[in-house]
Amino acid sequence: MQEDDKLYYFPVPEITLKDLLDWQDPDERSQCHLVRLNAKNDLKSTTHGNIKMYQKCFGNTVIINDKEIALFRIGKEVFAIQAKCPHLGGPLHLADIEELSTGKMAVKCPWHKWTFDIASGICVTPKDRNLIAKTFPVRVDNLGQIRVGFDSFGPSAFAEMDF
Ligand code: FES
């Protein structure tokens, strides 16, 4: 774990940059849509330790520092956003990524198609909704190791401590 700017960066185990679908790559993106059409509601997932991994064609979820987080790769950048949609709990890791007219990228929830700015988490559509999806700062090192930043430790960090 790294500490910087009052944030604690937790490494994401078992998933590196190359394991994530690059939404900027048109080939990978089109593959994703093909798999999604074929998969319909029958989405396959596997569990590695405390990590639930879906087909590479979707965003990945990780549980890290007691939070379930969806990870998305856009080029060399990785974005981390709460895994459950703040509207009614839809699975944001199954979201599409859309480019907004402002050039920013947004996560489009598969349930009711609300979109959230992938960097700030602010609800973009529908307008005038005061919902924000929690986002987390991410660092990616030269080896593709991903770290997610938190401003505090989750309860499990203290579970085995003797006070
Ligand atoms: S649950 Fe995500 S838009 Fe409704």
Side-chain angles (χ1 to χ4, degrees):
M1 185 177 40
Q2 292 176 349
E3 186 181 345
D4 185 26
D5 298 332
K6 302 208 164 73
L7 290 178
Y8 304 94
Y9 281 84
F10 288 69
V12 174
E14 299 189 36
I15 296 176
T16 62
L17 185 67
K18 69 177 172 30
D19 300 316
L20 296 173
L21 167 80
D22 182 0
W23 284 86
Q24 219 167 45
D25 182 323
D27 291 339
E28 289 197 36
R29 222 181 147 125
S30 62
Q31 259 181 32
C32 169
H33 287 288
L34 275 179
V35 171
R36 186 175 297 206
L37 282 175
N38 292 335
K40 292 192 178 155
N41 294 325
D42 184 25
L43 298 171
K44 294 188 175 72
S45 67
T46 52
T47 302
H48 300 276
N50 62 353
I51 303 173
K52 198 169 196 184
M53 298 182 75
Y54 289 84
Q55 291 150 307
K56 189 181 175 188
C57 289
F58 302 102
N60 291 61
T61 56
V62 291
I63 294 175
I64 184 164
N65 194 28
D66 301 326
K67 298 253 188 302
E68 189 176 10
I69 292 172
L71 297 175
F72 291 97
R73 173 182 175 185
I74 300 176
K76 291 192 171 156
E77 268 190 285
V78 175
F79 293 87
I81 191 164
Q82 68 180 65
K84 292 203 183 321
C85 177
H87 176 220
L88 289 174
L92 286 185
H93 66 286
L94 301 180
D96 272 323
I97 301 295
E98 287 190 346
E99 186 167 0
L100 303 172
S101 56
T102 57
K104 292 182 173 181
M105 305 301 273
V107 175
K108 185 175 191 175
C109 178
W111 280 10
H112 309 105
K113 313 299 182 201
W114 289 25
T115 54
F116 300 87
D117 183 312
I118 200 168
S120 68
I122 292 172
C123 183
V124 180
T125 55
K127 295 197 182 310
D128 305 324
R129 305 292 168 124
N130 274 336
L131 280 184
I132 296 180
K134 172 86 176 141
T135 58
F136 303 85
V138 176
R139 289 178 173 171
V140 182
D141 70 17
N142 292 340
L143 299 173
Q145 170 75 63
I146 303 164
R147 292 175 189 275
V148 180
F150 297 86
D151 55 10
S152 61
F153 290 87
S156 68
F158 304 102
E160 291 178 15
M161 288 188 170
D162 205 4
F163 291 103

